[in-house]
Amino acid sequence: MERYVLRARAVDQPGIIHKLTGGIASTGGNILDSAQHCDEDSGQLSVRVEFESGADSEDIRTELVDRLAQFDPIIELRKVKDKRRALIMVSKLDHCLDDLLYRYRRGELPIEIALVVSNHEDLRNVVEAAGLPFHHIPVTAETKPAAEQKLATLVNESRTDFIVLARYMQILSDDFSAKFAGRIINIHHSFLPSFKGAKPYHQARQRGVKLIGATAHYVTADLDEGPIIEQDVVRVNHRSSADNLVVIGRDVERKVLSEAVRLHADDRVFLSGNHTVILG
Amino acid sequence: MERYVLRARAVDQPGIIHKLTGGIASTGGNILDSAQHCDEDSGQLSVRVEFESGADSEDIRTELVDRLAQFDPIIELRKVKDKRRALIMVSKLDHCLDDLLYRYRRGELPIEIALVVSNHEDLRNVVEAAGLPFHHIPVTAETKPAAEQKLATLVNESRTDFIVLARYMQILSDDFSAKFAGRIINIHHSFLPSFKGAKPYHQARQRGVKLIGATAHYVTADLDEGPIIEQDVVRVNHRSSADNLVVIGRDVERKVLSEAVRLHADDRVFLSGNHTVILG
Amino acid sequence: MERYVLRARAVDQPGIIHKLTGGIASTGGNILDSAQHCDEDSGQLSVRVEFESGADSEDIRTELVDRLAQFDPIIELRKVKDKRRALIMVSKLDHCLDDLLYRYRRGELPIEIALVVSNHEDLRNVVEAAGLPFHHIPVTAETKPAAEQKLATLVNESRTDFIVLARYMQILSDDFSAKFAGRIINIHHSFLPSFKGAKPYHQARQRGVKLIGATAHYVTADLDEGPIIEQDVVRVNHRSSADNLVVIGRDVERKVLSEAVRLHADDRVFLSGNHTVILG
Amino acid sequence: MERYVLRARAVDQPGIIHKLTGGIASTGGNILDSAQHCDEDSGQLSVRVEFESGADSEDIRTELVDRLAQFDPIIELRKVKDKRRALIMVSKLDHCLDDLLYRYRRGELPIEIALVVSNHEDLRNVVEAAGLPFHHIPVTAETKPAAEQKLATLVNESRTDFIVLARYMQILSDDFSAKFAGRIINIHHSFLPSFKGAKPYHQARQRGVKLIGATAHYVTADLDEGPIIEQDVVRVNHRSSADNLVVIGRDVERKVLSEAVRLHADDRVFLSGNHTVILG
């Protein structure tokens, strides 16, 4: 028996779930955990099913595609043991990378790290010491299109499922972002209220915020405005200088990014309009 | 179109979900939100489905019972608008009652409060001012069996779905607890570590705990050891006297009990062995 | 023996604390709890001392003023039993008022509620049922100056120490705000990121925020940008409609406002530039 | 100008703070941040002062000792730049060690790691790769007294200020614990309620706990019952197997231990009876 995760998205209509579970049952599958949500704004149905089956994955997929054809769904089927493959991008800051590598080594994240790409050489040693391939792709205004082409090639060659921007300090082009829509996760600091402009931690310090947060989101053309996957905050006080706030902010960034990667890699995050539905 | 909540429990077998969703589809229902979990320890399948349908509720129920007969499930079907009916029990402390009444008045809790029962008269005015019936059932060691008989009669007459012990300071008999298993919610303080014996807040103060918590659970014969529905904690420090800790503890008790009542009344809590599965 | 709270603010210079504690010691006082912070940005020293003394409060005050004269401090001395007097302002929403009244009745907030003022009659019954005076001061664009004059008169007559805007939906004039600087507490919702413009909860729903927050702050001319006293967040998910988010937001507003009132009334909040230092 | 941290403990009496701040002022010191608390149960005064001074540390100490002699205080004076020296003890589990090393490398913890001691060789490579000395001290029932003697020698030779049991799986003797009272920090998992006996995570799973916690405390003869320094919890649900709970528990252990080490190393933790007063 093999354990599978099935994801499906479609415009909601009566009977989809019945057809879908019929497909699973007809190939001898037994559902272990499932969740489904119909977004009342967008009308999109999102379904995640974990099941066990002795059938071949292609047979299951064919059965599901046939049965659901009338609903024109997007179906993804994966053996749980075939983990999602991540390409991690970094620049010089290593706090998010460090946390991802730590959890990866311990098997806490259901991912394979295909490779790490950086626009700097600084973190090569850390990555190679972890036994992972490191690619240096420098980026300037002139070389950006070529650099993104090279990146896209690496994504394909490494069979990467999704890209994690672990404090990668370059902005991806709109074309690249669109091409990998829903497959690039970014992390950035968040405050209540937001602070526009430079030195947000200094602004936060001046206003005396009591909470420092972080937001992980999918990348869209508007870098910091994509659909939110995960957020968290941590309490601070007047004793913290702006520099202390930066350190505290790094901690919550690590935590939030790792949790977003876990949710995505576990196939729990569904895009629906400009927001996410997180099942399970 | 009417909105329904369906709950089902059964020993897990392949095909149950397919049969169940077939029953919903065949009566014209459209699933809006659903969740399902198979407990790997107990083998119990728990299913919660929200759907819209124009069919009559008895017709839907009959259809489901017929289709699922081979799995011998426990099925509950409820129109969302027919809220769960609660009987609240109190003694003299009113902090939990106050929070339940506040949320009830605002429609934040999906319940009808059928009545409030107390072994004291102290809170009659509060209850009656809220326009709710209040029953005084005094309890002594001698009158306890008769008192519980009276309580059981009230439960039946008021068509109560579940009982909320909102700091009710009497211990219900094993018989009564067993009769209403999974339908009585209790709240008590919780600490890390636990403190056995009298004056737990004084013990907590002496050990300098940094967190004060509360646990809402279903009542079983062993009063404080039933399946846990909800827990939360709040941070405290050395400035808090034992009396302050009691006040802080009341706050977290209010919050946790109201959340447990919301989850139960929304049909999200499933008993599975000695623990709960909370869907949604 | 009487228990006192002493607050002092001054431009930081060596020796202030020594002089101040000398004043307390010389009048037979014994310090029970104290905290002090020098803000490295503004150079302001903030001091809070709780002590017991058998001396008369005027004698203590005179002694302190004399000893500290060279530092030109702002000194406030209060018997702990003489609670800070609050004037609460509301409009039609009662969730924050309800929480303040609940905690007031139980003695959980170290305040006296001098009176409640509203620009509507809706909450008169709730306030008078709690045994508190209620004043209706309607406000239109034309009557606003007169209304604020009336309010200022009520503040004086009622010996109000501070004003709590418990979801008061009128904007106070810059003059009024300046006159009571550091003595008016407001509450508003907060998100990560912020949402500008109308219907912020709908925007939050569309972006799929995972946290809903609230911020309590002192009122300045720029209504939502004053020094922050307290913030908190609560976790939400895709199941929450914009209306649900509003309900959840109310809950965190209640909690944050009551905590801000507690901190202020306990003399723990010090203004320093555009932020607060919270001692203890 | 040098930045100092001063700690003082004494039986509370009027005038101590005045004498102490007089000593600081007389040696040209300027107080930047201070906190003080008198424990109403034990009568112990705890004081922490951060100040700047151009005076020599021995001169300041002498001045303070002289002025406070009548109160028989315990005084500790430290330059902020002379960080507390920690000896970390581990066995085979590396999650707490990993977090301490990560924060140490980044300068987030105000400590020097003097050395790491283990009863196993497993983590030698990790420690030596971090450029830190590793000592293997195997322990059996027979060799325990000799092992602890060796450990005590290492503590002295390395000028260790405090010992961190980062999941060290041996129980220290009562003699050793007493000798270093208030200077050994331990971490263990915590639940609400507590689970006695073996396999606590399996018991927690069976009861369906919704929170998993950790407690950092000073070691006393009764290993898990010493004064609590820090606690925290994280939310879990029915999807977590006992093995998942162990993983989640490790995360909160890391966080709580690092925070306890930070508080201790920053001289913020005061023992008072069987609990801690944490200033700042």
Side-chain angles (χ1 to χ4, degrees), chain A residues 48 78 100 103 108-111 162 185 229 256-269 278 280, chain D residues 237 248:
Chain A
R48 183 189 187 277
R78 181 172 64 83
L100 291 167
R103 294 183 193 285
E108 291 183 16
L109 286 175
I111 59 171
F162 69 113
I185 299 174
I229 304 168
V256 169
L257 180 60
S258 286
E259 177 64 7
V261 167
R262 189 186 70 76
L263 291 168
H264 179 95
D266 215 14
D267 283 326
R268 297 189 181 277
V269 189
I278 298 186
Chain D
N237 65 35
I248 293 167

PDB file of all heavy atoms in Angstrom, chain A residues 48 78 100 103 108-111 162 185 229 256-269 278 280, chain D residues 237 248:
ATOM      1  N   ARG A  48      -8.172  18.584  -0.716  1.00  0.00           N
ATOM      2  CA  ARG A  48      -6.938  17.846  -0.393  1.00  0.00           C
ATOM      3  C   ARG A  48      -7.334  16.526   0.248  1.00  0.00           C
ATOM      4  O   ARG A  48      -8.103  16.507   1.205  1.00  0.00           O
ATOM      5  CB  ARG A  48      -6.075  18.653   0.577  1.00  0.00           C
ATOM      6  CG  ARG A  48      -4.745  17.964   0.900  1.00  0.00           C
ATOM      7  CD  ARG A  48      -4.013  18.675   2.025  1.00  0.00           C
ATOM      8  NE  ARG A  48      -2.685  18.134   2.245  1.00  0.00           N
ATOM      9  CZ  ARG A  48      -2.438  17.050   2.992  1.00  0.00           C
ATOM     10  NH1 ARG A  48      -3.423  16.383   3.577  1.00  0.00           N
ATOM     11  NH2 ARG A  48      -1.202  16.610   3.132  1.00  0.00           N
ATOM     12  N   ARG A  78       0.370  12.894  -5.808  1.00  0.00           N
ATOM     13  CA  ARG A  78       1.765  12.696  -5.411  1.00  0.00           C
ATOM     14  C   ARG A  78       1.835  11.609  -4.363  1.00  0.00           C
ATOM     15  O   ARG A  78       0.980  11.551  -3.474  1.00  0.00           O
ATOM     16  CB  ARG A  78       2.294  14.019  -4.828  1.00  0.00           C
ATOM     17  CG  ARG A  78       3.741  13.998  -4.381  1.00  0.00           C
ATOM     18  CD  ARG A  78       4.239  15.391  -4.000  1.00  0.00           C
ATOM     19  NE  ARG A  78       3.536  15.947  -2.861  1.00  0.00           N
ATOM     20  CZ  ARG A  78       3.831  15.672  -1.579  1.00  0.00           C
ATOM     21  NH1 ARG A  78       4.808  14.843  -1.270  1.00  0.00           N
ATOM     22  NH2 ARG A  78       3.132  16.225  -0.595  1.00  0.00           N
ATOM     23  N   LEU A 100      16.005  26.498   7.676  1.00  0.00           N
ATOM     24  CA  LEU A 100      15.549  25.501   6.702  1.00  0.00           C
ATOM     25  C   LEU A 100      16.487  24.288   6.688  1.00  0.00           C
ATOM     26  O   LEU A 100      16.039  23.133   6.665  1.00  0.00           O
ATOM     27  CB  LEU A 100      15.469  26.123   5.301  1.00  0.00           C
ATOM     28  CG  LEU A 100      14.367  27.173   5.116  1.00  0.00           C
ATOM     29  CD1 LEU A 100      14.569  27.942   3.813  1.00  0.00           C
ATOM     30  CD2 LEU A 100      12.978  26.517   5.135  1.00  0.00           C
ATOM     31  N   ARG A 103      16.033  22.100   9.853  1.00  0.00           N
ATOM     32  CA  ARG A 103      14.826  21.255   9.829  1.00  0.00           C
ATOM     33  C   ARG A 103      14.912  20.193   8.725  1.00  0.00           C
ATOM     34  O   ARG A 103      14.357  19.103   8.851  1.00  0.00           O
ATOM     35  CB  ARG A 103      13.587  22.129   9.628  1.00  0.00           C
ATOM     36  CG  ARG A 103      13.364  23.044  10.817  1.00  0.00           C
ATOM     37  CD  ARG A 103      12.116  23.879  10.728  1.00  0.00           C
ATOM     38  NE  ARG A 103      12.174  24.905  11.756  1.00  0.00           N
ATOM     39  CZ  ARG A 103      11.970  24.668  13.065  1.00  0.00           C
ATOM     40  NH1 ARG A 103      11.651  23.463  13.479  1.00  0.00           N
ATOM     41  NH2 ARG A 103      12.077  25.632  13.951  1.00  0.00           N
ATOM     42  N   GLU A 108      12.352  17.301   9.491  1.00  0.00           N
ATOM     43  CA  GLU A 108      11.139  17.974   9.995  1.00  0.00           C
ATOM     44  C   GLU A 108      10.343  18.633   8.869  1.00  0.00           C
ATOM     45  O   GLU A 108       9.176  18.939   9.036  1.00  0.00           O
ATOM     46  CB  GLU A 108      11.507  19.036  11.040  1.00  0.00           C
ATOM     47  CG  GLU A 108      12.035  18.431  12.325  1.00  0.00           C
ATOM     48  CD  GLU A 108      12.330  19.484  13.378  1.00  0.00           C
ATOM     49  OE1 GLU A 108      11.863  20.626  13.242  1.00  0.00           O
ATOM     50  OE2 GLU A 108      13.040  19.153  14.345  1.00  0.00           O
ATOM     51  N   LEU A 109      11.011  18.887   7.731  1.00  0.00           N
ATOM     52  CA  LEU A 109      10.313  19.491   6.597  1.00  0.00           C
ATOM     53  C   LEU A 109      10.155  18.428   5.513  1.00  0.00           C
ATOM     54  O   LEU A 109      11.133  17.805   5.121  1.00  0.00           O
ATOM     55  CB  LEU A 109      11.125  20.662   6.021  1.00  0.00           C
ATOM     56  CG  LEU A 109      11.144  21.949   6.813  1.00  0.00           C
ATOM     57  CD1 LEU A 109      12.081  22.953   6.153  1.00  0.00           C
ATOM     58  CD2 LEU A 109       9.738  22.533   6.927  1.00  0.00           C
ATOM     59  N   PRO A 110       8.934  18.260   4.993  1.00  0.00           N
ATOM     60  CA  PRO A 110       8.719  17.237   3.972  1.00  0.00           C
ATOM     61  C   PRO A 110       9.175  17.714   2.602  1.00  0.00           C
ATOM     62  O   PRO A 110       8.369  17.850   1.688  1.00  0.00           O
ATOM     63  CB  PRO A 110       7.205  17.027   4.027  1.00  0.00           C
ATOM     64  CG  PRO A 110       6.665  18.355   4.417  1.00  0.00           C
ATOM     65  CD  PRO A 110       7.696  18.980   5.323  1.00  0.00           C
ATOM     66  N   ILE A 111      10.460  18.030   2.473  1.00  0.00           N
ATOM     67  CA  ILE A 111      11.000  18.509   1.190  1.00  0.00           C
ATOM     68  C   ILE A 111      12.302  17.801   0.854  1.00  0.00           C
ATOM     69  O   ILE A 111      12.962  17.213   1.720  1.00  0.00           O
ATOM     70  CB  ILE A 111      11.299  20.031   1.216  1.00  0.00           C
ATOM     71  CG1 ILE A 111      12.318  20.376   2.331  1.00  0.00           C
ATOM     72  CG2 ILE A 111      10.042  20.842   1.387  1.00  0.00           C
ATOM     73  CD1 ILE A 111      12.822  21.813   2.280  1.00  0.00           C
ATOM     74  N   PHE A 162       9.144  24.025  -6.254  1.00  0.00           N
ATOM     75  CA  PHE A 162       8.864  25.395  -5.805  1.00  0.00           C
ATOM     76  C   PHE A 162      10.149  26.066  -5.351  1.00  0.00           C
ATOM     77  O   PHE A 162      11.131  25.409  -4.999  1.00  0.00           O
ATOM     78  CB  PHE A 162       7.779  25.428  -4.723  1.00  0.00           C
ATOM     79  CG  PHE A 162       8.182  24.838  -3.397  1.00  0.00           C
ATOM     80  CD1 PHE A 162       8.298  25.643  -2.270  1.00  0.00           C
ATOM     81  CD2 PHE A 162       8.417  23.474  -3.254  1.00  0.00           C
ATOM     82  CE1 PHE A 162       8.647  25.108  -1.034  1.00  0.00           C
ATOM     83  CE2 PHE A 162       8.777  22.932  -2.018  1.00  0.00           C
ATOM     84  CZ  PHE A 162       8.891  23.749  -0.922  1.00  0.00           C
ATOM     85  N   ILE A 185       7.825  31.290  -2.849  1.00  0.00           N
ATOM     86  CA  ILE A 185       7.467  31.764  -1.505  1.00  0.00           C
ATOM     87  C   ILE A 185       8.489  32.797  -1.058  1.00  0.00           C
ATOM     88  O   ILE A 185       9.692  32.548  -1.127  1.00  0.00           O
ATOM     89  CB  ILE A 185       7.439  30.592  -0.504  1.00  0.00           C
ATOM     90  CG1 ILE A 185       6.396  29.556  -0.930  1.00  0.00           C
ATOM     91  CG2 ILE A 185       7.175  31.093   0.905  1.00  0.00           C
ATOM     92  CD1 ILE A 185       6.410  28.303  -0.065  1.00  0.00           C
ATOM     93  N   ILE A 229       0.550  33.274   3.062  1.00  0.00           N
ATOM     94  CA  ILE A 229       0.533  31.863   3.481  1.00  0.00           C
ATOM     95  C   ILE A 229       0.536  31.751   4.997  1.00  0.00           C
ATOM     96  O   ILE A 229      -0.200  30.972   5.578  1.00  0.00           O
ATOM     97  CB  ILE A 229       1.750  31.114   2.889  1.00  0.00           C
ATOM     98  CG1 ILE A 229       1.780  31.261   1.363  1.00  0.00           C
ATOM     99  CG2 ILE A 229       1.729  29.637   3.291  1.00  0.00           C
ATOM    100  CD1 ILE A 229       3.095  30.814   0.732  1.00  0.00           C
ATOM    101  N   VAL A 256       8.336  31.773  10.505  1.00  0.00           N
ATOM    102  CA  VAL A 256       7.210  31.903   9.584  1.00  0.00           C
ATOM    103  C   VAL A 256       7.557  31.297   8.221  1.00  0.00           C
ATOM    104  O   VAL A 256       6.739  30.595   7.625  1.00  0.00           O
ATOM    105  CB  VAL A 256       6.794  33.386   9.457  1.00  0.00           C
ATOM    106  CG1 VAL A 256       5.817  33.583   8.306  1.00  0.00           C
ATOM    107  CG2 VAL A 256       6.166  33.869  10.766  1.00  0.00           C
ATOM    108  N   LEU A 257       8.777  31.516   7.759  1.00  0.00           N
ATOM    109  CA  LEU A 257       9.140  30.952   6.451  1.00  0.00           C
ATOM    110  C   LEU A 257       9.160  29.422   6.515  1.00  0.00           C
ATOM    111  O   LEU A 257       8.620  28.751   5.621  1.00  0.00           O
ATOM    112  CB  LEU A 257      10.507  31.483   5.986  1.00  0.00           C
ATOM    113  CG  LEU A 257      10.944  30.938   4.621  1.00  0.00           C
ATOM    114  CD1 LEU A 257       9.944  31.302   3.520  1.00  0.00           C
ATOM    115  CD2 LEU A 257      12.341  31.434   4.242  1.00  0.00           C
ATOM    116  N   SER A 258       9.747  28.867   7.546  1.00  0.00           N
ATOM    117  CA  SER A 258       9.784  27.402   7.649  1.00  0.00           C
ATOM    118  C   SER A 258       8.373  26.813   7.716  1.00  0.00           C
ATOM    119  O   SER A 258       8.099  25.763   7.118  1.00  0.00           O
ATOM    120  CB  SER A 258      10.598  26.964   8.875  1.00  0.00           C
ATOM    121  OG  SER A 258      11.980  27.156   8.630  1.00  0.00           O
ATOM    122  N   GLU A 259       7.487  27.479   8.422  1.00  0.00           N
ATOM    123  CA  GLU A 259       6.112  26.977   8.518  1.00  0.00           C
ATOM    124  C   GLU A 259       5.416  27.080   7.159  1.00  0.00           C
ATOM    125  O   GLU A 259       4.689  26.164   6.752  1.00  0.00           O
ATOM    126  CB  GLU A 259       5.332  27.765   9.577  1.00  0.00           C
ATOM    127  CG  GLU A 259       3.870  27.379   9.724  1.00  0.00           C
ATOM    128  CD  GLU A 259       3.646  25.950  10.221  1.00  0.00           C
ATOM    129  OE1 GLU A 259       4.622  25.267  10.595  1.00  0.00           O
ATOM    130  OE2 GLU A 259       2.488  25.495  10.201  1.00  0.00           O
ATOM    131  N   ALA A 260       5.648  28.170   6.432  1.00  0.00           N
ATOM    132  CA  ALA A 260       5.043  28.316   5.103  1.00  0.00           C
ATOM    133  C   ALA A 260       5.564  27.236   4.159  1.00  0.00           C
ATOM    134  O   ALA A 260       4.805  26.655   3.370  1.00  0.00           O
ATOM    135  CB  ALA A 260       5.339  29.706   4.541  1.00  0.00           C
ATOM    136  N   VAL A 261       6.853  26.954   4.228  1.00  0.00           N
ATOM    137  CA  VAL A 261       7.437  25.901   3.382  1.00  0.00           C
ATOM    138  C   VAL A 261       6.817  24.549   3.730  1.00  0.00           C
ATOM    139  O   VAL A 261       6.475  23.757   2.858  1.00  0.00           O
ATOM    140  CB  VAL A 261       8.975  25.876   3.548  1.00  0.00           C
ATOM    141  CG1 VAL A 261       9.571  24.611   2.937  1.00  0.00           C
ATOM    142  CG2 VAL A 261       9.588  27.124   2.913  1.00  0.00           C
ATOM    143  N   ARG A 262       6.647  24.283   5.019  1.00  0.00           N
ATOM    144  CA  ARG A 262       6.038  23.030   5.455  1.00  0.00           C
ATOM    145  C   ARG A 262       4.613  22.898   4.906  1.00  0.00           C
ATOM    146  O   ARG A 262       4.227  21.847   4.368  1.00  0.00           O
ATOM    147  CB  ARG A 262       6.009  22.947   6.984  1.00  0.00           C
ATOM    148  CG  ARG A 262       5.590  21.579   7.519  1.00  0.00           C
ATOM    149  CD  ARG A 262       5.429  21.577   9.030  1.00  0.00           C
ATOM    150  NE  ARG A 262       4.269  22.350   9.459  1.00  0.00           N
ATOM    151  CZ  ARG A 262       3.006  21.933   9.362  1.00  0.00           C
ATOM    152  NH1 ARG A 262       2.730  20.760   8.850  1.00  0.00           N
ATOM    153  NH2 ARG A 262       2.013  22.712   9.763  1.00  0.00           N
ATOM    154  N   LEU A 263       3.832  23.967   5.016  1.00  0.00           N
ATOM    155  CA  LEU A 263       2.444  23.930   4.538  1.00  0.00           C
ATOM    156  C   LEU A 263       2.396  23.721   3.021  1.00  0.00           C
ATOM    157  O   LEU A 263       1.614  22.920   2.521  1.00  0.00           O
ATOM    158  CB  LEU A 263       1.717  25.225   4.916  1.00  0.00           C
ATOM    159  CG  LEU A 263       1.436  25.425   6.408  1.00  0.00           C
ATOM    160  CD1 LEU A 263       0.985  26.859   6.672  1.00  0.00           C
ATOM    161  CD2 LEU A 263       0.371  24.438   6.910  1.00  0.00           C
ATOM    162  N   HIS A 264       3.248  24.463   2.292  1.00  0.00           N
ATOM    163  CA  HIS A 264       3.256  24.336   0.834  1.00  0.00           C
ATOM    164  C   HIS A 264       3.700  22.934   0.417  1.00  0.00           C
ATOM    165  O   HIS A 264       3.075  22.297  -0.443  1.00  0.00           O
ATOM    166  CB  HIS A 264       4.174  25.395   0.224  1.00  0.00           C
ATOM    167  CG  HIS A 264       4.251  25.305  -1.263  1.00  0.00           C
ATOM    168  ND1 HIS A 264       3.466  26.049  -2.100  1.00  0.00           N
ATOM    169  CD2 HIS A 264       5.010  24.510  -2.087  1.00  0.00           C
ATOM    170  CE1 HIS A 264       3.725  25.734  -3.360  1.00  0.00           C
ATOM    171  NE2 HIS A 264       4.662  24.807  -3.379  1.00  0.00           N
ATOM    172  N   ALA A 265       4.784  22.471   1.016  1.00  0.00           N
ATOM    173  CA  ALA A 265       5.351  21.183   0.609  1.00  0.00           C
ATOM    174  C   ALA A 265       4.413  20.030   0.967  1.00  0.00           C
ATOM    175  O   ALA A 265       4.463  18.960   0.364  1.00  0.00           O
ATOM    176  CB  ALA A 265       6.709  20.977   1.277  1.00  0.00           C
ATOM    177  N   ASP A 266       3.580  20.266   1.943  1.00  0.00           N
ATOM    178  CA  ASP A 266       2.605  19.258   2.366  1.00  0.00           C
ATOM    179  C   ASP A 266       1.314  19.384   1.548  1.00  0.00           C
ATOM    180  O   ASP A 266       0.318  18.736   1.860  1.00  0.00           O
ATOM    181  CB  ASP A 266       2.312  19.464   3.856  1.00  0.00           C
ATOM    182  CG  ASP A 266       2.081  18.158   4.581  1.00  0.00           C
ATOM    183  OD1 ASP A 266       2.391  17.082   4.026  1.00  0.00           O
ATOM    184  OD2 ASP A 266       1.576  18.214   5.724  1.00  0.00           O
ATOM    185  N   ASP A 267       1.345  20.224   0.526  1.00  0.00           N
ATOM    186  CA  ASP A 267       0.216  20.389  -0.405  1.00  0.00           C
ATOM    187  C   ASP A 267      -1.039  20.900   0.273  1.00  0.00           C
ATOM    188  O   ASP A 267      -2.161  20.562  -0.121  1.00  0.00           O
ATOM    189  CB  ASP A 267      -0.087  19.063  -1.122  1.00  0.00           C
ATOM    190  CG  ASP A 267       0.915  18.779  -2.230  1.00  0.00           C
ATOM    191  OD1 ASP A 267       1.370  19.747  -2.864  1.00  0.00           O
ATOM    192  OD2 ASP A 267       1.243  17.610  -2.447  1.00  0.00           O
ATOM    193  N   ARG A 268      -0.853  21.739   1.289  1.00  0.00           N
ATOM    194  CA  ARG A 268      -2.009  22.240   2.037  1.00  0.00           C
ATOM    195  C   ARG A 268      -2.461  23.631   1.596  1.00  0.00           C
ATOM    196  O   ARG A 268      -3.509  24.094   2.023  1.00  0.00           O
ATOM    197  CB  ARG A 268      -1.694  22.262   3.541  1.00  0.00           C
ATOM    198  CG  ARG A 268      -1.435  20.871   4.104  1.00  0.00           C
ATOM    199  CD  ARG A 268      -1.342  20.828   5.612  1.00  0.00           C
ATOM    200  NE  ARG A 268      -1.079  19.478   6.065  1.00  0.00           N
ATOM    201  CZ  ARG A 268      -2.019  18.538   6.236  1.00  0.00           C
ATOM    202  NH1 ARG A 268      -3.280  18.813   6.030  1.00  0.00           N
ATOM    203  NH2 ARG A 268      -1.694  17.321   6.622  1.00  0.00           N
ATOM    204  N   VAL A 269      -1.688  24.312   0.762  1.00  0.00           N
ATOM    205  CA  VAL A 269      -1.990  25.703   0.426  1.00  0.00           C
ATOM    206  C   VAL A 269      -2.610  25.782  -0.971  1.00  0.00           C
ATOM    207  O   VAL A 269      -2.027  25.293  -1.941  1.00  0.00           O
ATOM    208  CB  VAL A 269      -0.713  26.564   0.467  1.00  0.00           C
ATOM    209  CG1 VAL A 269      -1.088  28.040   0.347  1.00  0.00           C
ATOM    210  CG2 VAL A 269       0.085  26.303   1.737  1.00  0.00           C
ATOM    211  N   ILE A 278      -6.012  27.270   3.306  1.00  0.00           N
ATOM    212  CA  ILE A 278      -5.041  26.315   3.854  1.00  0.00           C
ATOM    213  C   ILE A 278      -5.805  25.167   4.498  1.00  0.00           C
ATOM    214  O   ILE A 278      -6.488  25.359   5.512  1.00  0.00           O
ATOM    215  CB  ILE A 278      -4.088  27.022   4.829  1.00  0.00           C
ATOM    216  CG1 ILE A 278      -3.326  28.092   4.031  1.00  0.00           C
ATOM    217  CG2 ILE A 278      -3.143  26.011   5.472  1.00  0.00           C
ATOM    218  CD1 ILE A 278      -2.250  28.794   4.766  1.00  0.00           C
ATOM    219  N   GLY A 280      -6.240  21.718   6.436  1.00  0.00           N
ATOM    220  CA  GLY A 280      -5.581  20.812   7.375  1.00  0.00           C
ATOM    221  C   GLY A 280      -4.884  21.564   8.453  1.00  0.00           C
ATOM    222  O   GLY A 280      -4.244  20.997   9.281  1.00  0.00           O
TER     223      GLY A 280
ATOM    224  N   ASN D 237      -2.528  19.701  17.247  1.00  0.00           N
ATOM    225  CA  ASN D 237      -3.876  19.174  17.017  1.00  0.00           C
ATOM    226  C   ASN D 237      -3.859  17.660  16.821  1.00  0.00           C
ATOM    227  O   ASN D 237      -2.814  17.014  16.938  1.00  0.00           O
ATOM    228  CB  ASN D 237      -4.543  19.902  15.843  1.00  0.00           C
ATOM    229  CG  ASN D 237      -3.836  19.646  14.533  1.00  0.00           C
ATOM    230  OD1 ASN D 237      -3.312  18.553  14.293  1.00  0.00           O
ATOM    231  ND2 ASN D 237      -3.800  20.663  13.687  1.00  0.00           N
ATOM    232  N   ILE D 248       7.678  18.673  17.690  1.00  0.00           N
ATOM    233  CA  ILE D 248       7.159  19.997  18.064  1.00  0.00           C
ATOM    234  C   ILE D 248       7.673  20.387  19.438  1.00  0.00           C
ATOM    235  O   ILE D 248       8.040  21.542  19.682  1.00  0.00           O
ATOM    236  CB  ILE D 248       5.609  19.978  18.018  1.00  0.00           C
ATOM    237  CG1 ILE D 248       5.147  19.791  16.565  1.00  0.00           C
ATOM    238  CG2 ILE D 248       5.037  21.254  18.621  1.00  0.00           C
ATOM    239  CD1 ILE D 248       3.669  19.438  16.424  1.00  0.00           C
TER     240      ILE D 248
END
